Amino acid sequence: MADEAMHDGLFTHNNTVAPKEESILPLFSNKGKTAIVTGAGAGIGYAVAQGLAESGANVAIWYNSNKKALERAKEIEKTYGVKCTYWVSHKITYKQAVLEKLLLIASLKFPGSAYQVNVTDAKHVEEVIDTIVKEFNGRLDIFVANAGIPWTQGAMLDGEIDHYRKVVATDLDSTYYCARAAGKHWRRQKTEMTTMHGEKLTDFTYGSFIATASMSGHIVNIPQLQGAYNAAKAGIIHLVRSLAVEWVRFARANTVSPGYMATEISDFVPVKTKNIWKDKIPMGREGEAHELKGAYLYLASEASSYTTGADMIVDGGYCLP
């Protein structure tokens, strides 16, 4: 391994150091840290952005097409007293970007810019992450890879190959691209202990990468058929486990696997199907997005200093029977 965490297949002793703080509440604080959350226009991503802001982090939120993200970024800044800006996570024209930026500055009155970035394009992802880090005190502490789309075409044999590619590109490939770009910053920060501007970093310990997987990475969902989605989410879990080993000296890497959540991503699902879901959930209901805040906050903060390569299943007990 390039950072000398392992020699001849054996791990170096004391690759990491425990935090000096022992009180639990300070360990959950992310005050002054920089966090990026993808897919944060609504649902899980927005709840996670809120939770990180509540803990003191400055948050950059990415969204695809939900314009409510602009107002929500403003709300986060006003409510929690942190810096929060938004980034458009789909390709738009230069004219659209300028118009959105003018709307933001003139009407919403909070710091921000509209950037062209496609989460399935590695170059775009890296460029935007670098830009955010420059604007957020030259540092990166937390990255939540939450962007994702569902499989909506039923049985594999009846689905389109293009839809398969889109699901895997958005759910799995984008996670890889985000991790790659974020990991470069954490490796540099830990090695040099400086910001991107060359200033001394006195309070950086380890980066935290969190990817949104799914209970679908553990089980086969029924009655809906969604093999491509299940495979992508299982891939995320094992990718992040692998990164936990590769990055052990400079960052933790973990996943959260939500069960059925009452968010926009499942709005297309018929009520009849959702009732079948509830029949299979011991808690008897879908989860609410805010019920995931605690899992993400734990993994983002120093409270999880000895947790890496973990997958937290938050599914109301679905995977148990």
Side-chain angles (χ1 to χ4, degrees):
M1 299 174 76
D3 61 356
E4 304 301 321
M6 184 168 63
H7 294 280
D8 299 325
L10 301 174
F11 288 107
T12 303
H13 292 190
N14 300 310
N15 269 326
T16 64
V17 178
K20 295 180 180 179
E21 180 62 63
E22 295 184 11
S23 299
I24 190 61
L25 291 182
L27 286 171
F28 275 100
S29 173
N30 289 308
K31 186 176 181 180
K33 293 182 179 181
T34 297
I36 299 174
V37 184
T38 73
I44 294 173
Y46 178 59
V48 172
Q50 276 186 313
L52 294 176
E54 288 178 62
S55 70
N58 297 310
V59 186
I61 62 177
W62 294 8
Y63 75 98
N64 182 36
S65 58
N66 191 330
K67 297 298 179 67
K68 289 182 180 179
L70 313 184
E71 298 174 10
R72 287 168 175 169
K74 180 184 178 182
E75 290 171 3
I76 287 175
E77 282 201 323
K78 183 178 179 180
T79 303
Y80 305 114
V82 298
K83 182 176 180 179
C84 183
T85 188
Y86 79 97
W87 307 78
V88 182
S89 61
H90 68 296
K91 290 184 178 179
I92 58 176
T93 65
Y94 176 75
K95 183 177 180 181
Q96 286 174 311
V98 171
L99 287 174
E100 289 199 11
K101 187 170 183 178
L102 289 175
L103 170 65
L104 176 66
I105 294 172
S107 302
L108 299 178
K109 297 184 173 64
F110 68 90
S113 301
Y115 269 69
Q116 298 180 47
V117 54
N118 181 345
V119 293
T120 66
D121 184 320
K123 183 179 180 182
H124 279 263
V125 166
E126 185 164 8
E127 288 174 351
V128 174
I129 290 176
D130 289 350
T131 300
I132 292 172
V133 172
K134 286 178 183 177
E135 294 194 4
F136 279 68
N137 302 319
R139 66 182 294 162
L140 180 64
D141 299 277
I142 302 157
F143 196 103
V144 180
N146 177 68
I149 60 172
W151 173 269
T152 61
Q153 296 189 1
M156 170 199 180
L157 297 181
D158 300 322
E160 299 171 359
I161 291 296
D162 284 345
H163 185 47
Y164 164 80
R165 289 178 177 144
K166 186 175 181 180
V167 169
V168 173
T170 306
D171 295 7
L172 177 57
D173 293 352
S174 70
T175 301
Y176 184 96
Y177 302 149
C178 290
R180 187 173 185 271
K184 289 180 179 180
H185 284 281
W186 292 325
R187 182 174 63 181
R188 182 195 57 76
Q189 288 175 189
K190 191 66 175 178
T191 301
E192 301 176 5
M193 288 304 294
T194 60
T195 68
M196 206 172 183
H197 308 305
E199 299 168 350
K200 187 175 181 180
L201 265 178
T202 57
D203 57 349
F204 177 76
T205 54
Y206 302 94
S208 176
F209 183 81
I210 309 165
T212 299
S214 172
M215 71 174 186
S216 301
H218 297 269
I219 52 93
V220 176
N221 303 70
I222 53 172
Q224 76 276 18
L225 303 176
Q226 52 181 45
Y229 180 86
N230 297 349
K233 292 301 185 177
I236 289 172
I237 294 169
H238 207 58
L239 167 64
V240 175
R241 283 174 176 161
S242 301
L243 296 179
V245 174
E246 290 187 32
W247 294 359
V248 68
R249 280 199 164 184
F250 55 84
R252 301 185 306 280
N254 297 283
T255 54
V256 176
S257 284
Y260 291 121
M261 309 301 294
T263 63
E264 291 88 339
I265 196 172
S266 63
D267 280 349
F268 72 96
V269 178
V271 173
K272 182 178 179 180
T273 299
K274 289 199 171 191
N275 284 333
I276 294 174
W277 294 353
K278 293 173 186 177
D279 291 341
K280 299 178 181 299
I281 303 171
M283 286 193 174
R285 63 177 176 87
E286 293 178 90
E288 298 293 335
H290 67 267
E291 293 183 286
L292 290 165
K293 283 184 181 181
Y296 284 89
L297 177 57
Y298 167 70
L299 294 175
S301 70
E302 288 294 293
S304 65
S305 59
Y306 201 58
T307 304
T308 196
D311 177 61
M312 295 185 66
I313 302 175
V314 187
D315 66 352
Y318 186 102
C319 291
L320 296 176

